[in-house]
Amino acid sequence: MTTIDLDARFDPRELRNALGRFATGIAVVMAQDEEGPIGVTVNSFSSVSLDPPLILFSMARSLHSLARLEKAKAYSVNILLENQQEISNRFARAGEDKFSATPWEIGPSGAPRLVPAHAIFECVPYAHYDGGDHVIFVGRVVHLHAEGEGDPLLYYRGSYRLLAAIAQEG
């Protein structure tokens, strides 16, 4: 009988490189509280359920604004367009005013949202789960908007990619 070693350790770089072989879209999660707007770039977005309409994303426990996000009454997940790499970079960095140079508005849920975005999912919190060094957020979609045209911004093997470029690499 084979035993599985649940304490197996992997070189973090080797694990990251292997995970990087899965192309992901890039999103910015936004919320607002009494201190003002919050925004963070994520690529850990996924659908969970159509009925009820649920999505998920995860946030590192080391994130400075994690406690604020966990208490948010609503948040938006903004799927980025291929020409929004600078927005992705801006919201991936800590310690700067991310919103002053970014076009955004308050959505119907009360959460900030990008203008434009490839798709926007406005959510209310449904659940939070322990995800090791991350917290997994599950949100119930209460409003959505999808732009008519454009391709998504993608991340693959450690860098931004265009949909056509990944298709050519096959």
Side-chain angles (χ1 to χ4, degrees), residues 7-170:
D7 293 320
R9 298 287 177 224
F10 300 95
D11 174 85
R13 174 50 51 194
E14 182 182 4
L15 181 59
R16 183 179 287 251
N17 288 345
L19 292 169
R21 291 178 181 260
F22 182 70
T24 63
I26 306 291
V28 172
V29 173
M30 296 177 153
Q32 184 162 299
D33 63 10
E34 62 282 346
E35 294 180 47
I38 308 157
V40 182
T41 298
V42 301
N43 69 347
S44 61
F45 170 77
S46 182
S47 64
V48 175
S49 170
L50 296 176
D51 187 17
L54 302 176
I55 56 89
L56 71 76
F57 60 89
S58 65
M59 293 287 178
R61 290 191 183 280
S62 61
L63 180 68
H64 181 273
S65 56
L66 179 63
R68 292 175 63 197
L69 278 171
E70 287 178 312
K71 294 176 190 168
K73 293 183 181 358
Y75 45 81
S76 66
V77 179
N78 303 267
I79 309 300
L80 298 185
L81 289 154
E82 67 182 359
N83 66 351
Q84 293 180 308
Q85 183 174 333
E86 178 50 42
I87 290 174
S88 172
N89 290 335
R90 183 177 308 128
F91 282 86
R93 292 189 291 262
E96 66 178 67
D97 180 4
K98 302 170 184 183
F99 286 86
S100 65
T102 304
W104 63 283
E105 65 187 11
I106 296 295
S109 70
R113 66 184 196 176
L114 289 174
V115 179
H118 197 43
I120 302 167
F121 302 90
E122 292 187 53
C123 303
V124 294
Y126 185 82
H128 298 142
Y129 297 102
D130 176 27
D133 60 3
H134 281 64
V135 174
I136 300 166
F137 288 73
V138 178
R140 184 181 182 118
V141 179
V142 294
H143 183 78
L144 63 91
H145 176 75
E147 294 294 326
E149 299 298 321
D151 285 332
L153 180 62
L154 300 176
Y155 202 73
Y156 179 67
R157 297 184 83 177
S159 63
Y160 293 108
R161 301 292 180 102
L162 301 179
L163 194 57
I166 289 178
Q168 289 173 352
E169 289 179 22

